[in-house]
Amino acid sequence: TSILDQPALLDVFIAKVKEVFPQADVVVLLVWDESNKRLVVKGGYGFDLAELPASLAWEETIAGRVFQSNLSAAYHGIEMIAAFDGSFLASALSDSGKPCCALGVVLQTQERSLGSLVVYTVDPDLCPTEHDLRVLQTLADQVAVAMDNARLFEEAKQVRALRELDAMKSEFVAWASHELRTPLASIKSVAETLLREDLALSPEDQRMFLE
């Protein structure tokens, strides 16, 4: 939770999931892209990212279901999993086989959902338990807090950069004002002298002042 770089944080998260769930054949991590209103794959293993179809609607998959419901869930049965994730599994999986069980958890803070994670297992004898689901959700909760910290850190850096820019602007204005004050004062003095009606300036004097 101390990592403030989100890509590095997600890599650590995936590595930890792989360590805790060695029976997982496929893991896919998705993060909500607020600008495009889509779930975007940000990591995982057991599938070929390059083979994913560009138009895959993740909202219709297990990942999307747990994200939208804000509830972790376990899925059992090849047919059930294929009904939700058939397009993803058919296009991206290698020769792992057809998953017979899956765990889906949401990455969420108290304020909002940030993404979701789905763990697939092919061997029915190695299917995760309800205890595994709770462990996975605990990991997801921790990484969600860390993701929010990383976001706040980036926002703080932007605010700090804006403050530094504002300070530089103020410093420049002060410097420019100081540099311009003397010549402008001289010009103003000459102009006021030329405008005085009580002074009978000769054409030569007027030219001298203007020059």
Side-chain angles (χ1 to χ4, degrees):
T1 56
S2 63
I3 300 174
L4 296 176
D5 177 66
Q6 187 172 108
L9 168 66
L10 297 181
D11 287 344
V12 170
F13 178 43
I14 291 296
K16 180 58 66 175
V17 171
K18 196 170 187 177
E19 175 188 333
V20 176
F21 297 95
Q23 72 272 38
D25 297 289
V26 180
V27 171
V28 58
L29 169 65
L30 300 103
V31 173
W32 179 249
D33 182 353
E34 184 63 35
S35 59
N36 295 314
K37 304 298 181 184
R38 297 276 289 184
L39 285 167
V40 180
V41 179
K42 290 294 185 178
Y45 58 87
F47 64 94
D48 187 352
L49 185 60
E51 294 296 323
L52 285 177
S55 60
L56 182 60
W58 286 103
E59 289 71 17
E60 300 171 4
T61 64
I62 290 175
R65 289 171 66 87
V66 298
F67 176 79
Q68 291 169 347
S69 66
N70 286 335
L71 294 173
S72 58
Y75 295 81
H76 297 279
I78 293 175
E79 293 78 11
M80 175 183 287
I81 295 171
F84 292 120
D85 290 356
S87 56
F88 159 63
L89 297 172
S91 60
L93 285 182
S94 57
D95 297 326
S96 301
K98 295 181 178 180
C100 64
C101 46
L103 297 181
V105 295
V106 60
L107 281 62
Q108 62 182 335
T109 64
Q110 291 183 341
E111 291 79 22
R112 62 197 183 106
S113 298
L114 305 178
S116 56
L117 179 93
V118 183
V119 173
Y120 302 90
T121 303
V122 173
D123 190 340
D125 294 329
L126 298 177
C127 279
T129 64
E130 287 296 322
H131 171 73
D132 293 325
L133 183 61
R134 290 193 294 272
V135 171
L136 189 61
Q137 185 61 65
T138 299
L139 288 174
D141 291 342
Q142 290 180 341
V143 80
V145 170
M147 287 171 65
D148 218 34
N149 288 343
R151 177 185 63 83
L152 293 172
F153 179 72
E154 285 299 317
E155 290 179 358
K157 284 202 304 185
Q158 293 175 8
V159 170
R160 190 158 53 245
L162 289 173
R163 286 177 178 171
E164 290 175 357
L165 186 63
D166 191 58
M168 290 171 63
K169 182 181 72 174
S170 299
E171 184 180 346
F172 171 76
V173 170
W175 170 82
S177 299
H178 179 267
E179 293 297 314
L180 290 172
R181 188 174 294 118
T182 299
L184 286 176
S186 178
I187 293 170
K188 180 182 178 184
S189 174
V190 169
E192 289 175 344
T193 301
L194 287 169
L195 289 171
R196 286 180 59 178
E197 296 180 355
D198 60 323
L199 295 179
L201 296 174
S202 66
E204 291 77 12
D205 289 336
Q206 291 180 7
R207 184 176 182 83
M208 178 192 70
F209 275 112
L210 291 171
E211 289 177 347

